[in-house]
Amino acid sequence: MRAVACGALLVLWGCTGGMAEEPVVTSSSSRELAGAFYSVGYGLAAQLEELDLTEEELAHVLRGFSDGARKARPEFDLTTERVRIAGLLRSRQEVRADRERAKVETEKALGLAVLDKAVEEGAERVESGLVFQELVPGTGDSPAGSDRVKVSYRGTLLDGTEFDSSEKRGGPLEYPLYASIRCWQDGLRRMKVGGRARLLCPSELGYGDRGRPPMIPGGAVLVFEVELLDVLKPQSH
């Protein structure tokens, strides 16, 4: 990401050329072309995301881009500024990384409090850290790691935001148990066919410090309500 962002910034600052007071629109412009060129600009902006530009800084970037695109004489010594760009990018990335780490730690602390409260209210914390709450006991088989399972489920964050469900996917999901996140592997092994359970998954058993943006933040506890519909044993050959 650093190389991409730095490269994009060098492109914006490294061109030479002139600045027009008004955008140039040629007779060949069309709605389709406008969308294409708009997408170019939007893509460049995404590459500069790590700089966390203020409105004032963005105005400077746009002025440099406009001058470069129109081959105006640059206002600054571009060779000197390339050195400044590298240092600026490093410092902004460090600030951004510190901010993201702080958010993850806050999310984890909030999650730990919720997990502890659930245990106090009668849920079971297993060795891996999963907090397991049986809602409806099952009477059938329990799955092994090599089995396929058929489940209905709903996944939410602690604030109730739904990020996934079997209903959204068109109905019950069938998949090899070993292919799921660790939380599901540990939780479903404790269930029997016909049973329903709530799985409270610390981030270490889910998607870790990275999360799955934009729906699941880093460090998030995941809450799943799962119904185990069937266990399909692997076929022997």
Side-chain angles (χ1 to χ4, degrees):
M1 183 63 189
R2 176 180 296 178
V4 172
C6 192
L9 199 55
L10 290 174
V11 167
L12 293 179
W13 278 94
C15 301
T16 58
M19 178 177 179
E21 293 183 358
E22 298 293 338
V24 177
V25 180
T26 67
S27 58
S28 62
S29 294
S30 66
R31 180 63 183 169
E32 290 76 13
L33 282 176
F37 289 127
Y38 176 88
S39 298
V40 170
Y42 204 97
L44 285 171
Q47 293 179 44
L48 300 178
E49 182 180 1
E50 291 193 29
L51 285 174
D52 288 329
L53 296 170
T54 66
E55 289 297 322
E56 181 180 1
E57 291 165 347
L58 177 60
H60 293 312
V61 170
L62 293 176
R63 193 173 77 254
F65 183 80
S66 180
D67 282 359
R70 290 165 176 79
K71 303 195 182 319
R73 183 182 181 85
E75 297 180 18
F76 301 91
D77 184 323
L78 301 183
T79 301
T80 300
E81 297 307 322
R82 284 191 179 92
V83 177
R84 197 190 311 274
I85 288 169
L88 175 65
L89 184 59
R90 281 195 299 272
S91 64
R92 293 289 174 93
Q93 286 174 327
E94 289 169 1
V95 169
R96 188 181 180 91
D98 289 343
R99 187 166 63 242
E100 290 301 316
R101 280 193 292 269
K103 286 171 60 178
V104 168
E105 292 307 314
T106 299
E107 190 75 31
K108 284 184 173 181
L110 174 63
L112 180 60
V114 171
L115 294 174
D116 288 344
K117 183 178 179 181
V119 171
E120 290 174 3
E121 294 175 349
E124 177 187 6
R125 178 181 273 123
V126 304
E127 185 177 353
S128 66
L130 163 70
V131 173
F132 180 88
Q133 182 181 9
E134 188 172 64
L135 302 176
V136 177
T139 57
D141 293 334
S142 293
S146 59
D147 295 337
R148 295 180 66 84
V149 293
K150 185 177 182 180
V151 296
S152 289
Y153 69 95
R154 180 172 181 262
T156 65
L157 303 178
L158 291 178
D159 64 3
T161 301
E162 181 178 289
F163 60 82
D164 194 11
S165 71
S166 53
E167 183 178 355
K168 283 183 177 178
R169 294 176 179 266
L173 181 69
E174 183 182 314
Y175 69 99
L177 183 57
Y178 66 81
S180 62
I181 59 176
R182 174 73 185 280
C183 175
W184 275 44
Q185 294 182 43
D186 290 354
L188 266 69
R189 285 193 181 101
R190 306 180 72 82
M191 298 176 65
K192 294 183 178 181
V193 172
R196 289 179 55 241
R198 180 177 292 115
L199 312 179
L200 285 82
C201 312
S203 60
E204 294 81 2
L205 304 182
Y207 297 108
D209 289 354
R210 295 177 64 87
R212 291 192 73 180
M215 290 296 293
I216 301 176
V221 166
L222 308 180
V223 182
F224 291 99
E225 289 200 10
V226 184
E227 181 178 6
L228 181 57
L229 302 174
D230 201 1
V231 173
L232 307 171
K233 299 294 181 182
Q235 296 180 350
S236 58
H237 296 284

